[in-house]
Amino acid sequence: MFHRVCRVTEVVVVSGYHELAEVYEWLISDAKLAPAEFAAAFDDVLGLLPPDAHVLDCSCGTGQLAVGLAGRGMQVVATDASEAMVRRTAELSEEFEASVRTLRADWQELPDHFDDATFDLVFCVGNSLHHAAGATGRVAALESMSRLLRRGGRLVLTSRTWELVRARGSRLDISDRLVRRNGRDAVVVYRWEIAPRWEEEHHIEIAVAQVDATGPVLVRSELLSCWPYRYEELEAELDRVGLRTEISTFDPAAENYTVVASKV
């Protein structure tokens, strides 16, 4: 019997999207990998804006959405708490010759960089809000986003359905298929550490194992902190910071949902 042995030459575990920024495209769905297609996922909301609208993507990741928005002629600012993510967004902007202003800033720092009522639309997508530290940190983050919106402007937020995540408990999720990016395949693994109570710090370790039929396996992994929330908590917190929900796709049986809330 023949056995193939894959030699792992590097395993890196750090915290804060430093390593994952280098392999983040393996975590993005095929449908949203191209900037234009990512932006098109929000056509219903974008159709309400003038062509030169001022838009903030305050959890920009590697920049697919920001670059897609800039390609439509919008005035786009892309921010992220991770310096590595901001760098990759700037690189993608240069590749597509898109005009995107990039800035490293966490949510609570945003009012230090922008005047109140600067933006027509703020995006906080990619299931990012759970990285805010508990209810206090989450409300502070939402307050910053609300301050930067003009009256009648909108916040677009996407989230995991944390009720489902917690119900499944601590576990290991291993993708049942290879994901191909940049001519190389990878397996994506999520390890969930679910705390006993909602308000406690939870952890997700995400690993991207790049495989090669003839070479070594390269694993990049990070342990991330998160603080989950119930949907009704998010609704109450949006209202608390002056945002009224216009659209919600929340379904307790669905994995993810989108909320669009307007500045009152």
Side-chain angles (χ1 to χ4, degrees):
M1 181 180 294
F2 176 77
H3 297 275
R4 174 180 292 170
V5 178
C6 292
R7 180 170 54 91
V8 178
T9 58
E10 181 180 354
V11 178
V12 183
V13 181
V14 292
S15 180
Y17 286 98
H18 305 295
E19 286 295 321
L20 285 181
E22 304 306 320
V23 292
Y24 199 71
E25 52 264 51
W26 276 273
L27 305 180
I28 300 174
S29 69
D30 293 343
K32 295 182 178 179
L33 194 60
E37 292 180 4
F38 203 150
F42 301 101
D43 273 346
D44 288 350
V45 178
L46 297 176
L48 302 174
L49 298 175
D52 60 347
H54 288 74
V55 180
L56 170 65
D57 181 357
C58 65
S59 52
C60 66
T62 49
Q64 279 75 13
L65 176 57
V67 170
L69 295 170
R72 294 181 173 215
M74 298 178 182
Q75 307 300 305
V76 181
V77 178
T79 67
D80 202 285
S82 165
E83 187 69 51
M85 290 294 201
V86 171
R87 171 181 53 77
R88 291 215 56 195
T89 295
E91 292 170 352
L92 190 69
S93 302
E94 183 176 353
E95 177 185 343
F96 279 82
E97 299 182 344
S99 179
V100 177
R101 178 187 172 189
T102 56
L103 175 70
R104 196 227 65 82
D106 66 33
W107 293 307
Q108 295 185 52
E109 293 171 332
L110 292 173
D112 297 334
H113 297 282
F114 305 103
D115 293 334
D116 290 359
T118 293
F119 297 100
D120 300 294
L121 188 64
V122 172
F123 282 96
C124 180
V125 299
N127 299 302
S128 301
L129 189 61
H130 65 266
H131 291 308
T136 300
R138 196 164 55 249
V139 170
L142 292 170
E143 172 65 27
S144 293
M145 298 177 209
S146 180
R147 282 181 57 180
L148 299 188
L149 279 170
R150 295 170 180 160
R151 187 172 298 277
R154 294 173 175 86
L155 169 67
V156 179
L157 184 150
T158 65
S159 176
R160 297 182 189 276
T161 304
W162 284 100
E163 292 86 345
L164 284 180
V165 175
R166 279 188 49 84
R168 293 167 181 159
S170 298
R171 64 195 184 279
L172 188 68
D173 288 339
I174 303 175
S175 175
D176 60 359
R177 69 180 184 92
L178 292 173
V179 180
R180 190 165 186 81
R181 299 284 185 265
N182 307 322
R184 190 164 189 181
D185 294 321
V187 175
V188 178
V189 179
Y190 287 80
R191 183 175 65 85
W192 302 84
E193 294 180 8
I194 305 300
R197 292 185 292 274
W198 276 89
E199 64 273 15
E200 294 179 327
E201 181 177 354
H202 294 46
H203 294 97
I204 311 171
E205 184 177 357
I206 305 174
V208 177
Q210 296 172 281
V211 299
D212 191 304
T214 59
V217 176
L218 173 62
V219 181
R220 294 182 183 271
S221 175
E222 292 193 66
L223 184 65
L224 306 169
S225 295
C226 60
W227 287 264
Y229 45 86
R230 301 173 179 86
Y231 175 72
E232 64 260 27
E233 291 178 297
L234 177 61
E235 284 277 89
E237 290 160 358
L238 289 168
D239 183 70
R240 179 176 170 183
V241 302
L243 296 171
R244 182 184 66 246
T245 299
E246 291 183 344
I247 301 170
S248 173
T249 65
F250 176 74
D251 177 342
E255 297 291 333
N256 300 279
Y257 59 90
T258 300
V259 172
V260 180
S262 61
K263 178 72 172 288
V264 179

